[in-house]
Amino acid sequence: MLFDFFFKPRQQQKLPFRTDMHCHIVPGVDDGSPDIPTSLFLLEQMSEWGLERIYASPHSTQDSFENTPLTIAAPFAELCRSAKEKGLPVELHHHFEYRLDEFFLTQLDCDNIVSLPGRFLLIENPFSNEPWGMEQLVYDLMNKGYNPVLAHPERYQYYARNHRNRYADLHDKGLYFQINLLSLAGHYGKRERETALYLLKNNMVQFVGTDLHRATHVESIRRYLSSANFLKDQKLFDRLYNDTL
C-alpha cells in the first residue's frame, strides 16, 4: 500500500491556453478524422484538456488533399451541427494548413485563401527539403498582408539535424513558428522534442498546436499532460499567441 501511495500516477493537467489552431478534425477531408464519431471523440478529449476555441486546419496539398473552402464547407458544417447536438462546449472555426507547393500558389493567385484571425497563415514545408525561394515567398506573403506561420518546424530534419541556425534566419525575417504538442510529448521521437524545447527556450515559438489526427495522438497527449515533463515545459508557454486569435 505504501508503494502504491508513492507511485500513484499523476493527475492529467489542463493546457495553459484555451485555443488550438492546428488540428485535423474535419471528417473525411485529409489524413485526419475519417468520420463524425471520430471527430466527436477528438473534440471531447480536447475539451477535457481545457481547449474551448478550436480552429480546424485541413491539409491543402497538391495531388493528395487539394482542399479549398468549397470542398470542406459541407463536412465542416456537419461537424458543427454534430458537436452542437452532442452539447460539446467548444467554439469551432476552420482555416487550412497550406503545403508550399504549386497548388498553394494557384490558390494564392486567385485569392482563395483562408487564414486565421489577424491574417496569420499556416504554411507547411515539404518534409524532404526546404522549398526553393523560401525567403522570397515569406516576403511575398507579408507583402500581401499575411503573417506566415510555419507549422511544426521541429519536424523538418534538414533543419533540426544540421542547420539549427536556419531557424533564427527565418524567424528574424518575420516567419512565425508553431510547434506541435505531440513533439513535446515525445510522440515523434527524442530529437523532435529536443528541437521543440530549443525553439521555445530561444523565444522563437508563437503558437503551440495539437496537430491532432487520431486516437494514438490522444493517448500521447494524455500521457504528456500527466507527466513531469509537462509540469516543466508549460513554464515556457507564457509568450504564446494562441489565445489572441
Side-chain angles (χ1 to χ4, degrees):
M1 294 298 293
L2 184 62
F3 181 88
D4 289 341
F5 175 80
F6 282 114
F7 289 88
K8 183 179 180 180
R10 290 182 176 87
Q11 183 178 2
Q12 179 177 276
Q13 303 295 308
K14 291 187 182 294
L15 290 166
F17 50 86
R18 298 291 172 260
T19 306
D20 185 22
M21 46 74 77
H22 185 174
C23 58
H24 298 268
I25 57 170
V26 179
V29 299
D30 61 9
D31 61 343
S33 171
D35 50 42
I36 285 290
T38 302
S39 296
L40 294 178
F41 166 74
L42 297 177
L43 285 173
E44 285 180 302
Q45 305 310 303
M46 297 168 88
S47 179
E48 285 186 11
W49 302 334
L51 294 168
E52 300 170 358
R53 184 189 302 113
I54 296 170
Y55 288 88
S57 52
H59 287 291
S60 181
T61 310
Q62 185 171 329
D63 297 330
S64 54
F65 307 115
E66 294 189 346
N67 282 309
T68 68
L70 184 61
T71 65
I72 75 155
F76 180 71
E78 184 183 6
L79 175 61
C80 291
R81 285 194 300 271
S82 299
K84 185 176 181 179
E85 289 171 2
K86 195 172 181 63
L88 294 177
V90 291
E91 177 185 321
L92 293 175
H93 307 275
H94 78 80
H95 61 127
F96 292 91
E97 179 184 10
Y98 289 103
R99 176 69 59 88
L100 296 180
D101 56 26
E102 288 300 321
F103 182 70
F104 169 65
L105 294 178
T106 62
Q107 297 303 298
L108 188 65
D109 285 344
C110 63
D111 199 25
N112 201 29
I113 297 293
V114 180
S115 63
L116 289 155
R119 303 272 285 178
F120 288 104
L121 183 65
L122 189 64
I123 58 175
E124 176 187 39
N125 280 5
F127 282 92
S128 56
N129 55 270
E130 181 181 277
W132 184 84
M134 179 80 172
E135 292 179 11
Q136 183 63 48
L137 181 54
V138 169
Y139 177 79
D140 290 345
L141 289 173
M142 293 171 65
N143 261 358
K144 289 178 177 290
Y146 292 110
N147 295 304
V149 181
L150 184 62
H152 42 65
E154 75 280 5
R155 296 186 64 197
Y156 305 125
Q157 291 299 314
Y158 44 86
Y159 294 151
R161 285 180 183 275
N162 303 309
H163 301 290
R164 273 194 176 183
N165 58 325
R166 184 61 171 153
Y167 289 129
D169 290 342
L170 292 171
H171 194 263
D172 289 347
K173 288 178 170 60
L175 184 60
Y176 294 91
F177 287 166
Q178 172 261 307
I179 63 171
N180 282 359
L181 197 63
L182 285 162
S183 296
L184 292 171
H187 180 84
Y188 308 110
K190 182 178 179 181
R191 187 188 302 275
E192 286 78 0
R193 172 170 164 76
E194 290 176 347
T195 305
L197 287 172
Y198 166 81
L199 294 171
L200 274 169
K201 290 174 180 177
N202 284 276
N203 300 317
M204 286 188 278
V205 176
Q206 286 67 54
F207 299 96
V208 172
T210 64
D211 201 3
L212 199 62
H213 285 64
R214 55 189 67 93
T216 53
H217 290 172
V218 169
E219 290 305 314
S220 291
I221 292 174
R222 279 179 177 168
R223 287 193 296 270
Y224 176 57
L225 295 181
S226 303
S227 71
N229 278 342
F230 175 68
L231 293 178
K232 290 188 302 181
D233 297 349
Q234 66 175 326
K235 298 172 184 176
L236 300 170
F237 291 176
D238 58 341
R239 299 186 182 184
L240 297 181
Y241 290 9
N242 285 54
D243 290 335
T244 68
L245 296 172

